[in-house]
Amino acid sequence: MTSTPEKTTATTPALPRYGQMLGPEAKGILVLDEFTIDPAAARKEQHRFRDGMAAVALTMRRIAALRIVIAIVAIGNLPLFLLSSGWWIYGVSLTLVVAVHAAVTWLNRHEPRLKQRSALELHKHRESSANYRKVRDAVKYMIDTPARMNEHLYLELLAAKRVALNLAHGTVALLDTSDDSAWKVRIVRELPAAA
């Protein structure tokens, strides 16, 4: 009785997804990760992320401007008090001191809430974006620099199509937009040529 050869394809382990060498024409580029993102969603997210970042920056500028106005009023109260005479100046100065104190107290109490509200909108955009999460996770787990993955890096990738993620190791994110149904992102490492 002859034994039939068993199929080994079912037990053969799959090739690793990462660490594939490209062809000789690529001149030593190591692919660390490769995935696709949705072009339509990416185009919409460019505006949403920019609007969210602008809202955060606007909130910070308004808080800084309010603090400057409070400081000017507080400093302007002293010469007003010293260079004027009459009983009414005491009332004006006292009113200004109380107003400055109330404004500073209100700002100290509400500033974290104002910052958090504007940052929360940006966080919602970030977490609702599947494209952003894909790029963030690829950067986080493949080159271990999660702090570099933020809205600026994501927008830079969509705009420039090539972003240096880690200059010391030659790690680069490449965006291929040739297929308009699914854009391909590759995290690659450019290996130095042997001398």
Side-chain angles (χ1 to χ4, degrees):
M1 188 184 274
T2 59
S3 62
T4 58
E6 297 179 2
K7 291 185 178 179
T8 58
T9 55
T11 59
T12 305
L15 291 174
R17 181 179 171 194
Y18 310 117
Q20 303 172 20
M21 287 297 294
L22 298 183
E25 68 280 358
K27 299 179 182 175
I29 293 180
L30 184 68
V31 179
L32 300 177
D33 199 353
E34 185 176 305
F35 52 92
T36 59
I37 61 175
D38 180 18
R43 290 187 186 103
K44 290 178 185 176
E45 287 161 5
Q46 280 183 305
H47 300 294
R48 290 173 61 200
F49 275 116
R50 286 198 181 99
D51 291 344
M53 291 160 60
V56 172
L58 181 61
T59 301
M60 300 305 169
R61 285 197 299 270
R62 284 178 175 168
I63 290 172
L66 188 54
R67 288 200 178 276
I68 290 171
V69 168
I70 292 170
I72 290 172
V73 170
I75 293 169
N77 183 42
L78 183 60
L80 176 68
F81 179 74
L82 294 177
L83 299 176
S84 301
S85 60
W87 63 268
W88 63 272
I89 196 59
Y90 296 106
V92 172
S93 295
L94 182 61
T95 304
L96 287 176
V97 168
V98 171
V100 165
H101 176 71
V104 169
T105 303
W106 181 88
L107 192 58
N108 288 341
R109 186 181 304 135
H110 288 83
E111 182 179 1
R113 201 175 303 161
L114 294 172
K115 289 180 179 178
Q116 186 179 22
R117 187 187 309 155
S118 56
L120 183 61
E121 291 298 320
L122 191 57
H123 178 72
K124 286 179 181 176
H125 295 323
R126 187 187 303 138
E127 292 307 312
S128 65
S129 168
N131 291 339
Y132 178 90
R133 290 196 308 272
K134 285 179 182 178
V135 178
R136 179 193 63 195
D137 293 343
V139 173
K140 181 176 181 180
Y141 296 114
M142 298 311 301
I143 67 171
D144 196 27
T145 54
R148 284 296 312 277
M149 184 56 219
N150 53 31
E151 296 78 27
H152 295 284
L153 180 62
Y154 179 62
L155 292 173
E156 189 180 346
L157 177 63
L158 295 180
K161 300 183 175 66
R162 176 185 174 97
V163 177
L165 301 171
N166 192 321
L167 291 175
H169 295 99
T171 306
V172 178
L174 303 173
L175 176 63
D176 180 8
T177 58
S178 57
D179 183 6
D180 204 43
S181 62
W183 290 349
K184 184 185 292 183
V185 179
R186 279 181 173 173
I187 311 294
V188 302
R189 179 164 293 164
E190 300 174 335
L191 302 177

